[in-house]
């Protein structure tokens, strides 16, 4: 028999595909390519909405190129879409993978298409990228009235072939367009480089650069503008119309352009950015563009910066009197010429630059010598300031130091001309943004125009009032801000070179070392005093490790308060103390050195209503305040002068542990507390908090251990007596013999075996597990284990009329819901095949845990409710939730069983949080886990971790409570 012919429909699809691919290959016009693709999609695919858009990579925009809508709205199809993060169109453009949408009307990530989808009843939608290799050139959106978006393999293949061919043609077309637009810039640049090499002086080279640029770009004018730092203005140094212009020329072309007039233009050039202003496009803001064009009297401009060692020397500008679109070749050539000028410009002043570098090195060397000399701070700074002001042509040399007590910057040294008065004010602390600016800086921060610059805004009024118009500022250390600051100011608007800023940075770092030495010398005495008090206080807190007497504990707390108060020299120090869960605070006096300061120690202080306590609890560290701010209720028990200052700090260890007290220190108002002393005081108070917590935990654990030992001794002796009586009763039963009746004999033997097993297991427990648990290793089918567990709670199920279903042991749904099973328990398999899944471990303890979980589920379920037990086999090598180790079996890929018990019942959210493994638990804080039944759940959770399993509790969105148990499966089970 001959080979059967293909269906006519399939043959037509292949022919149509071949025709459209051939048409795409032979076409160059983009619009014709789009129309050909749209016609093919309309003919071959059943979509009511078709939209094709091309992607602009530079502007991250989609340009609609046409398509099909039911109402033939071409305006909508040719819209421009700006891509934004998170929407579906951007996702397809970035990931370059097809994306399906089941219902476009409900998709929140494509809000701009909601109205269109609702208008045309579009649901199922697929968005496909038009790509070539790793570049996205556009996308196609296909929308249907049907829900869903699945494409068959054959349909998807044809569609991807057409879009792939379209992407290849569009990419090739884009390359051709770029080649047509681009002109070769290498040959003119190489020719200019050769000319520059043969010329002698800078002006001749600038003239050659201007002529070459004017010839290549063909603008109306080509100019080179030079930048003068003192005065901050540009002047025309070279032009194709007026060659060799002097800066003092009266010609309009040579007139200066100040930075103040063209600030945005200046800052763009300063960061080595080419400025392009053409037909309806500008790299500057609109108002800056208009001002610049008006100043130069042109309609289009292309300017490339001339930069040497990060210093702006000037710029090369091509100017046109008509709106013009600058090509990439124009930009590249102008930028290249600007780079060449940057290389030849420094040759003019090379000798003076070398001399200046030598003088700067000598200056930094002399400042460094001041670090090791025996001269005082002011003598060293005087010599340094004199040379720095002369080198930088500045007016004032200011050295600022932050005062933490006043929270401001003060002048610790300043130098200025004899006809200028020293500055007598202080400066506010830095704003956060200014502090971050100095923190990140690795050279001097320059402010060329203080009138317009918003940096250091809170310093501006005072500096401007005293004649400062520009400045350089350096941090003197690499540490955190606030730090000593070196400021150089000038009375006019000006800028400094990178070399000058680097010089000042080097000088500031050396001055920082000198200031640091001076500060360390002044702090030595205070540090010694604080160190002694710190050592004495720590020695007191480490005493009496074996003490259990409350009176001695209070004595140690009083002694610790005395040492804490000695650091600040406070006449009054007390401790407001309480235990977790209490409502009233006890006053423990520490220091009362003045009759004007006192407390009423018998007063009842409410923790919730006392303002000092609540303020301290709401503050992470210490809190300082005036006595005048205290409420009348506090003044009833705190007797201190009206003009006093207070420090309060909570005895807080970590945020997760409860606070157990507040330290209160009172001092005279005129006394100043240094930041160093406050820090030491806070450290000792924190140490006192940890010491008190450790003592409380020790007492709590000792008491708990003693109670548990008594309970264990009592239960163990009772079990011994029960075991003895049971063994004696069994002996008597054996002595009586077996009854003659056959039925009675069978039941008698069964009960006898059960009693023997119970007595044997009790003997083993009494012998092996008297003071610690013994982990055994055995296996049991999970079905048998569940059956035994459910039998133990059968009475509880009947009392509360609960229904239990077991799922996942291998039987079908019909078997699980079969009415032949028990009315209360369904789904437990009975055949050997179904019960082959066995767990491994200490079966007795695992059975007790399952029993505890079932009892909890029964007690928390509503009467007549439902409890479900779900079993699922897991593979530990693939299951990220399995946290238990398989070291006990030596199998790194041991499988496990997930046993989940779900029920509808109430459970406290706080209990779920406390049962979570990663939740920090404060042993001193009241908890739901201190008493049953929550205590039993915690014991089960900890026990399962010891058994190599895992137990978690959580609540589903439908309010069902889940107890999730992971158990190791037996190794032989597959």
């Amino acid at each position: 028999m001959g080979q059967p012919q293909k269906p006519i429909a399939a043959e037509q699809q292949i022919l149509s595909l071949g025709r459209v691919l051939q048409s795409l290959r032979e076409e160059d016009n983009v619009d014709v390519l789009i129309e050909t693709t749209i016609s093919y999609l309309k003919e071959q695919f059943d979509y009511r909405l078709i939209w094709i858009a091309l992607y602009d990579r530079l502007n991250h925009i989609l340009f609609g190129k046409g398509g099909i809508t039911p109402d033939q709205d071409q305006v909508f199809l040719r819209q421009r879409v700006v891509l934004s993060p998170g929407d579906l169109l951007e996702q397809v453009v970035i990931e370059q993978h097809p994306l399906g949408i089941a219902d476009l009307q409900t998709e929140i990530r494509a809000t701009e298409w909601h109205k269109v989808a609702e208008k045309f009843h579009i649901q199922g939608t697929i968005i496909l990228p038009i790509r070539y290799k790793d570049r996205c050139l556009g996308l196609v959106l296909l929308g249907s009235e049907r829900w869903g978006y699945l494409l068959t393999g054959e349909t998807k293949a044809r569609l991807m072939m057409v879009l792939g061919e379209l992407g290849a043609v569009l990419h090739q077309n884009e390359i051709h367009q770029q080649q047509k637009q681009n002109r070769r810039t290498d040959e003119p640049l190489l020719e200019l480089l050769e000319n520059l090499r043969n010329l002698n002086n800078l002006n001749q080279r600038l003239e050659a650069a201007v002529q070459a640029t004017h010839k290549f770009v063909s603008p109306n004018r080509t100019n080179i503008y030079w930048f003068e730092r003192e005065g901050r203005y540009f002047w025309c140094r070279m032009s194709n119309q007026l060659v060799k212009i002097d800066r003092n020329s009266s010609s309009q072309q040579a007139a200066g352009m100040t930075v103040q007039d063209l600030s945005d233009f200046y800052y763009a050039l300063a960061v080595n950015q080419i400025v392009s202003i053409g037909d309806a496009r500008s790299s500057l803001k609109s108002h800056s563009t208009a001002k610049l064009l008006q100043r130069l009297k042109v309609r289009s401009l292309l300017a490339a910066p001339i930069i040497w060692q990060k210093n702006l020397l000037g710029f090369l500008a091509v100017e046109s009197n008509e709106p013009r679109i600058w090509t990439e070749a124009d930009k590249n050539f102008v930028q290249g010429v600007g780079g060449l000028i940057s290389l030849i410009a420094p040759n003019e002043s090379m000798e003076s630059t070398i001399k200046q570098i030598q003088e700067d090195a000598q200056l930094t060397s002399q400042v460094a010598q001041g670090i090791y000399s025996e001269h005082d701070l002011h003598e060293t700074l005087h010599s340094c300031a004199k040379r720095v002001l002369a080198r930088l042509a500045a007016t004032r040399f200011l050295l600022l130091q932050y005062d933490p007590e006043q929270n401001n910057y003060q002048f610790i040294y300043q130098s200025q001309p004899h006809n200028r008065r020293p500055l007598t004010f202080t400066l506010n602390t830095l704003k956060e943004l200014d502090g971050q600016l100095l923190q990140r800086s690795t050279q001097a921060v320059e402010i060329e125009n203080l009138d317009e610059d918003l940096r250091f805004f809170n310093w501006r009024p005072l500096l401007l009032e005293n004649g400062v118009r520009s400045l350089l500022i350096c941090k003197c250390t690499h540490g955190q801000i606030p730090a000593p600051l070196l400021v150089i100011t000038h009375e006019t608007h000006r800028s400094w070179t990178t070399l000058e800023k680097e010089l000042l940075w080097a000088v500031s770092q050396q001055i920082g070392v000198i200031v640091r030495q001076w500060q360390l010398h002044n702090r030595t005495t205070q540090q010694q005093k604080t160190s002694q008090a710190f050592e004495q206080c720590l020695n007191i807190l480490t005493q009496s490790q074996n003490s259990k007497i409350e009176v001695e504990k209070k004595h140690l707390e009083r002694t610790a308060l005395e040492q804490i108060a000695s650091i600040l020299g406070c006449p009054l120090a007390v401790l407001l103390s309480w235990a977790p869960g209490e409502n009233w605070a006890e006053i423990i006096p520490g220091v009362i050195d003045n009759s004007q300061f006192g407390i009423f120690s018998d007063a009842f202080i409410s923790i919730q209503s006392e303002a000092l306590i609540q303020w301290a609890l709401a503050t992470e560290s210490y809190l300082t305040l005036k006595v005048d701010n205290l409420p009348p209720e506090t003044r009833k028990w705190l007797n201190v002068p009206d003009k006093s200052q207070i420090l309060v700090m909570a005895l807080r260890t970590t945020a997760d542990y409860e606070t157990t007290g507040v330290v209160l220190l009172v001092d005279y108002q005129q006394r100043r507390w240094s930041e160093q002393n406050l820090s030491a005081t806070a450290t000792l108070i924190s140490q006192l908090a940890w010491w008190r917590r450790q003592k409380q935990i020790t007492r709590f654990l000792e008491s708990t251990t003693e109670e548990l030992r008594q309970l264990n001794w009592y239960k163990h002796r009772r079990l011994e007596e029960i075991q003895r009586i049971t063994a004696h009763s069994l002996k008597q039963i054996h002595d009586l013999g077996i009854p003659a009746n056959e039925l009675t004999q069978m039941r008698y033997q069964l009960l006898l075996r059960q009693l023997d097993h119970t007595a044997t297991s009790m003997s083993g427990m009494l012998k092996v597990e008297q003071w610690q648990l013994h982990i055994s290793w055995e296996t049991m089918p999970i079905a048998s284990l569940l059956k035994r567990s459910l039998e133990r709670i059968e009475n509880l199920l009947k009392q509360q009329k609960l229904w239990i279903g077991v799922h996942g042991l291998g039987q079908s749904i019909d078997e699980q819901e079969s009415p032949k099973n028990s009315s209360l328990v369904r789904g437990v398999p009975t055949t050997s095949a179904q019960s082959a899944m066995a767990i491994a471990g200490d079966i007795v303890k695992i059975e007790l845990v399952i029993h505890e979980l079932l009892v909890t589920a029964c007690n928390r379920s509503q009467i007549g409710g439902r409890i479900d037990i779900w079993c699922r086999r897991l593979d530990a090598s693939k299951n990220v939730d399995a946290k238990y180790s398989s070291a006990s079996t030596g199998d790194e890929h041991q499988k496990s069983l997930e046993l989940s018990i779900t029920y509808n019942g109430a459970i406290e959210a706080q209990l779920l949080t406390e049962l979570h493994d990663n939740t920090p638990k404060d042993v001193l804080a009241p908890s739901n886990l201190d008493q049953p039944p929550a205590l039993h759940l915690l014991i089960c959770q900890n026990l399962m971790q010891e058994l190599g399993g895992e137990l978690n509790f959580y609540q589903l969105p439908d309010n069902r409570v889940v107890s999730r148990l992971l158990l190791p499966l037996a190794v032989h089970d597959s």
Side-chain angles (χ1 to χ4, degrees), residues 152 198 245 318 333 419 430 646 672 710 725 732 822:
T152 63
N198 298 326
I245 301 177
V318 291
F333 188 84
N419 58 349
L430 291 172
I646 295 177
R672 293 186 182 275
Q710 294 173 357
I725 296 174
Q732 291 178 345
S822 169

Side-chain angles (χ1 to χ4, degrees), residues 897-912:
L897 174 71
E898 181 187 60
L899 182 67
S900 300
I901 302 174
T902 62
Y903 60 91
N904 285 307
I907 189 169
E908 300 83 358
Q910 181 64 26
L911 176 59
L912 291 177

Side-chain angles (χ1 to χ4, degrees), residues 408-583:
N408 58 23
Y409 278 93
Q410 299 181 357
F411 300 106
I412 60 176
Y413 181 81
Q414 53 180 313
S415 177
Q416 59 281 325
H418 297 294
N419 58 349
R420 300 290 189 275
R421 293 181 180 180
L423 303 180
T424 57
F425 53 85
T426 60
L427 295 172
N428 294 330
T429 183
L430 291 172
K431 298 296 184 181
E432 182 179 0
L433 291 178
D434 295 328
Q436 293 176 356
L437 173 65
L438 288 178
Q439 184 65 40
R440 296 190 302 264
S441 65
T442 56
Q443 67 174 13
V445 177
E446 179 184 28
I447 296 182
E448 302 177 11
N449 187 350
L450 189 61
D451 297 287
E452 297 180 352
D453 204 310
L454 297 181
R455 292 174 294 178
F456 306 100
F457 187 80
N458 55 337
W459 290 6
R460 287 179 60 198
L462 291 174
L463 293 177
L464 290 173
E465 184 180 346
N466 287 270
V468 177
R469 293 297 179 268
S470 58
L471 58 90
L472 289 175
I473 179 170
C474 296
K475 62 177 182 181
C476 295
T477 64
H478 289 287
Q480 296 291 327
I481 297 296
L485 301 178
L486 176 61
V487 181
I488 302 298
T489 71
H490 201 277
E491 294 181 344
T492 61
H493 301 154
R494 63 156 299 172
S495 64
W496 285 269
T497 66
T498 302
L499 185 62
E500 292 171 334
K501 288 185 284 187
E502 291 176 351
L503 170 65
L504 186 64
W505 176 263
V507 171
S508 69
Q509 300 309 297
Q510 295 171 347
I511 290 177
V513 176
I514 299 174
V515 173
R516 182 62 175 168
Q517 288 181 337
W518 175 65
Q519 292 173 339
L520 292 176
H521 176 73
N522 292 338
R523 293 176 182 175
T524 300
T525 304
Q526 181 62 37
Q527 286 180 342
Q528 292 177 349
K529 177 183 176 181
T530 303
S531 177
Q532 293 174 358
F534 205 91
E535 182 179 358
Q536 294 176 4
C537 188
L538 291 179
N539 291 334
I540 294 172
L541 296 181
T542 56
Q543 293 176 2
S544 186
Q545 294 297 325
N546 301 322
S547 173
K548 297 183 180 180
I549 304 175
E550 188 69 18
V551 176
E552 186 171 350
K553 181 179 79 71
K554 291 185 178 180
H555 171 70
L556 293 176
E557 289 174 342
R558 293 191 183 99
T559 309
L561 288 174
E562 292 175 359
Q563 296 300 323
I564 293 174
S566 67
I567 296 179
L568 298 179
C570 296
L572 177 63
V574 297
L575 172 63
L576 306 180
S577 175
W578 65 86
E582 292 184 352
N583 297 322

Side-chain angles (χ1 to χ4, degrees), residues 876-901:
S877 63
K878 299 179 181 179
N879 178 31
V880 296
D881 295 331
K883 299 178 182 177
Y884 57 87
S885 172
S886 58
S888 58
T889 63
D891 185 5
E892 296 182 355
H893 300 285
Q894 178 184 0
K895 295 182 178 179
S896 59
L897 174 71
E898 181 187 60
L899 182 67
S900 300
I901 302 174

Side-chain angles (χ1 to χ4, degrees), residues 188-189 192-197 199 201-214 222-227 235-240 272 302-318 332-350:
L189 283 176
L192 172 62
L193 182 60
E194 184 66 25
N195 293 336
L196 295 178
R197 186 184 304 167
L199 297 175
N201 58 56
L202 180 61
N203 284 333
Q204 292 177 349
R205 293 172 177 174
L206 295 180
E207 180 182 356
V210 167
Q211 297 299 336
T213 305
H214 192 77
T222 302
N223 300 323
I224 293 179
Y225 293 88
W226 221 246
F227 179 57
W235 61 281
C236 185
R237 180 166 183 172
M238 189 64 61
S239 174
N240 69 305
N272 199 19
L302 189 60
I306 302 173
I307 293 179
W308 171 253
Q309 291 184 341
K310 300 181 181 179
N311 296 316
L312 181 64
L313 304 180
F315 65 92
L316 170 65
V318 291
N332 294 336
F333 188 84
V334 172
Q335 193 171 22
V337 174
L340 291 177
I341 299 175
S342 300
L343 296 176
I344 63 176
N347 295 335
E348 186 180 30
S349 58
M350 186 63 69

